[in-house]
Amino acid sequence: MTSGSPVAVVGLGYVGLPLAVAAADAGHHVVGYDIAEQHVERLASGHSPIEDVTDLSLKEVLAADTLRFTADPAELAGCHCFIICVPTPLTDKAPDLSMVMSAVDTVAANLSPGNLVVLESTTYPGTTEDVVAPRLLQATGMEAGRDYHLAFSPERIDPGNPTFGITNTPKIVGGMGAAATEAAAAFYATFVEDVHRVSSPREAEMAKLLENTFRHVNIALVNEMAVFCQELGVNLWEAIDAAATKPFGFMAFRPGPGIGGHCIPIDPSYLSWHVRRLGYSFRFVELACEINDRMPDYVAARAGELLNRERKPVNGSRILILGVAYKRDVSDVRESPAIALVRRLAARGAKISWHDPHVEGFDVGADAATDGDIVNTGDRVQTAELPHHPRDDVLRQPRDVREHAEAAGRDRVVERVDRRGVAEHRQQLELEEVLVGHGGERLEALARLLVPALGVVVGDDGGLLERHVADQLFELHPDQ
């Protein structure tokens, strides 16, 4: 497929939007489709909601008239290529392909002979051939491999990765027949540097699950080691750094309070579910899920132990969480272990404050709330105490702290923090001895600023933070 071909990208989230922009930048005429009309309107105005696509890059392809957005499926008519990039969550521990089916129906209404259809949504092996192809056949009467090309190409988006993006991350493609594989490879080769072909969609589907299952079980390994290394008096982070000096046969993974994002907590369960249908159990994945799922409880318990050393209960203690996204330098809180951690600490009576420069809203459920918010405004750190709302589902991080403080009838705003004012800052925040956090360089700098006045920090980079910390509790940022 040559540049200039009309392409439809169905689903404009963390996967679909970068793909649409990259294809448009390569010269394709791209129609980005999403059922969320407000989302489409925001994109059409040149505002990107994700870190991997800047407003500038979005506005450039919009100005070049190579990309347009729509919520009307009829506008996909005439496209030669359809790329499906919709979420595939778990519902009751089983794959939920409802959004894939809806997207397939949208494609079917606009499919013509000779077109290319590619599924990028993560799923179990066999979905493309056993679910998508029959549904398109039933809706259109067209058969994959005879009337149109059908392939699977797993998304490999790593939000916030400054080194690897959509163009320099190798793309796997597997089609229903050699012609479909080549058609998909030709399309991706117009904007991806390296395209790797496999023999069928099943191998491509399995490759994605293998990648994330590998990470899932290795994170579980170091998480379990972290628990007993604490009892043994061993600095596991130092041990991992030492092991990583071996130039072969070892890959470093580091502990965290659990796993987050849409891939690692979800994808291995797709494979486990599919294997169970064959009468087997995937014990590695099931055990890894058990270990990683209990880590928020472990971190909450460690926080309680450290407070206990200072003769302070968790109940009533003020705990600051630095970073609530599932990984550093992103705004994505999907499946973030910070959610479970906040719920555990709040259930024990802790007063939770949080700060994340990338996150505006943090939903922890109706039975958890906070009476204090921390916000970051550039190099200024501010805090405002808000009234307690036991039915409020969102721990807010307001943009204008003064406005919220005045509305709450309070006047407790710390304007600025520097090294000389750390002790005063701690007194005004009324924080206890525990600082729980993760995040990027801005949060690490804030943590180093506060640590001299606070006894304990949970950081996302043990090697960096442990030089500034009296007693490291845990790392909140696993390798994901």
Side-chain angles (χ1 to χ4, degrees):
M1 179 176 290
T2 60
S3 296
S5 300
V7 174
V9 176
V10 182
L12 299 172
Y14 284 89
V15 176
L17 183 58
L19 175 66
V21 171
D25 193 49
H28 294 284
H29 293 285
V30 180
V31 181
Y33 170 77
D34 200 287
I35 61 173
E37 293 185 3
Q38 289 186 339
H39 180 54
V40 168
E41 291 173 0
R42 180 179 181 183
L43 293 174
S45 68
H47 296 291
S48 171
I50 65 175
E51 293 82 2
D52 292 340
V53 176
T54 65
D55 287 355
L56 177 61
S57 62
L58 181 57
K59 289 176 180 177
E60 286 177 348
V61 289
L62 288 171
D65 202 27
T66 55
L67 174 61
R68 60 187 176 89
F69 298 105
T70 183
D72 181 2
E75 293 193 34
L76 304 185
C79 289
H80 295 173
C81 176
F82 299 86
I83 313 297
I84 298 174
C85 307
V86 296
T88 49
L90 290 173
T91 300
D92 296 328
K93 299 185 178 181
D96 182 355
L97 298 181
S98 59
M99 284 178 273
V100 170
M101 296 299 94
S102 178
V104 169
D105 292 342
T106 298
V107 170
N110 297 281
L111 189 65
S112 299
N115 287 172
L116 169 66
V117 180
V118 182
L119 177 63
E120 286 211 2
S121 305
T122 304
T123 186
Y124 58 85
T127 301
T128 305
E129 294 170 289
D130 300 337
V131 179
V132 176
R135 194 174 185 94
L136 285 173
L137 175 62
Q138 182 180 19
T140 67
M142 288 187 279
E143 183 177 333
R146 183 192 68 187
D147 303 304
Y148 71 98
H149 301 302
L150 178 61
F152 182 82
S153 180
E155 60 88 3
R156 282 175 154 179
I157 297 295
D158 184 17
N161 190 324
T163 304
F164 292 102
I166 195 166
T167 60
N168 66 347
T169 300
K171 205 79 171 79
I172 299 171
V173 295
M176 291 184 63
T181 299
E182 291 307 314
F187 164 67
Y188 286 113
T190 60
F191 58 91
V192 177
E193 296 171 5
D194 182 15
V195 178
H196 181 85
R197 298 161 176 81
V198 294
S199 57
S200 81
R202 292 176 186 266
E203 284 72 28
E205 291 161 339
M206 180 60 82
K208 171 66 174 179
L209 298 184
L210 177 60
E211 292 168 7
N212 285 332
T213 300
F214 170 79
R215 300 183 69 78
H216 186 56
V217 298
N218 279 283
I219 291 170
L221 170 65
V222 293
N223 276 344
E224 187 158 50
M225 291 186 72
V227 174
F228 64 73
C229 279
Q230 168 64 29
E231 300 297 324
L232 293 173
V234 174
N235 185 328
L236 179 59
W237 286 265
E238 184 178 350
I240 291 171
D241 289 341
T245 62
K246 184 180 179 182
F248 55 89
F250 181 80
M251 179 177 290
F253 288 83
R254 290 177 174 80
I259 50 177
H262 180 65
C263 291
I264 296 179
I266 305 296
D267 297 356
S269 295
Y270 264 67
L271 187 55
S272 180
W273 173 86
H274 196 48
V275 168
R276 285 199 302 271
R277 296 175 68 194
L278 303 176
Y280 300 96
S281 62
F282 199 167
R283 288 177 290 176
F284 258 129
V285 168
E286 292 163 3
L287 182 58
C289 287
E290 178 185 332
I291 292 169
N292 288 327
D293 286 349
R294 74 186 183 205
M295 292 311 293
D297 291 302
Y298 173 72
V299 176
R302 285 284 294 128
E305 291 173 8
L306 292 165
L307 283 168
N308 190 56
R309 289 184 192 175
E310 304 300 321
R311 299 181 180 180
K312 299 183 182 200
V314 174
N315 191 350
S317 291
R318 296 176 60 86
I319 298 179
L320 170 65
I321 296 184
L322 289 182
V324 295
Y326 84 91
K327 61 178 291 186
R328 63 188 297 161
D329 297 330
V330 301
S331 61
D332 192 353
V333 297
R334 290 177 298 174
E335 307 293 332
S336 172
I339 297 173
L341 177 58
V342 167
R343 292 172 67 88
R344 303 296 192 278
L345 292 170
R348 298 175 66 177
K351 297 180 179 179
I352 307 297
S353 297
W354 66 277
H355 169 71
D356 193 316
H358 301 282
V359 178
E360 295 185 17
F362 184 41
D363 187 356
V364 297
D367 57 347
T370 183
D371 66 352
D373 285 8
I374 301 287
V375 300
N376 186 309
T377 54
D379 63 345
R380 304 168 72 83
V381 181
Q382 299 177 318
T383 179
E385 187 173 81
L386 304 180
H388 188 73
H389 298 290
R391 297 185 179 276
D392 194 346
D393 288 355
V394 178
L395 298 177
R396 295 185 185 83
Q397 187 186 33
R399 291 289 186 184
D400 189 342
V401 183
R402 286 189 178 278
E403 178 182 337
H404 285 266
E406 291 170 1
R410 309 297 179 94
D411 187 22
R412 294 205 325 111
V413 179
V414 178
E415 290 289 349
R416 185 177 178 85
V417 177
D418 55 24
R419 293 186 182 278
R420 290 173 297 179
V422 167
E424 178 184 358
H425 182 72
R426 177 201 172 181
Q427 183 179 6
Q428 288 177 301
L429 263 65
E430 297 180 359
L431 289 166
E432 301 297 342
E433 300 300 317
V434 180
L435 175 66
V436 183
H438 73 155
E441 293 181 358
R442 293 171 65 186
L443 294 183
E444 289 166 2
L446 176 59
R448 290 196 299 272
L449 203 61
L450 294 178
V451 163
L454 302 173
V456 182
V457 66
V458 183
D460 73 334
D461 186 338
L464 175 65
L465 292 181
E466 67 186 358
R467 295 192 297 271
H468 310 277
V469 180
D471 187 351
Q472 182 172 332
L473 172 64
F474 214 76
E475 290 192 279
L476 273 191
H477 170 65
D479 282 336
Q480 298 185 30

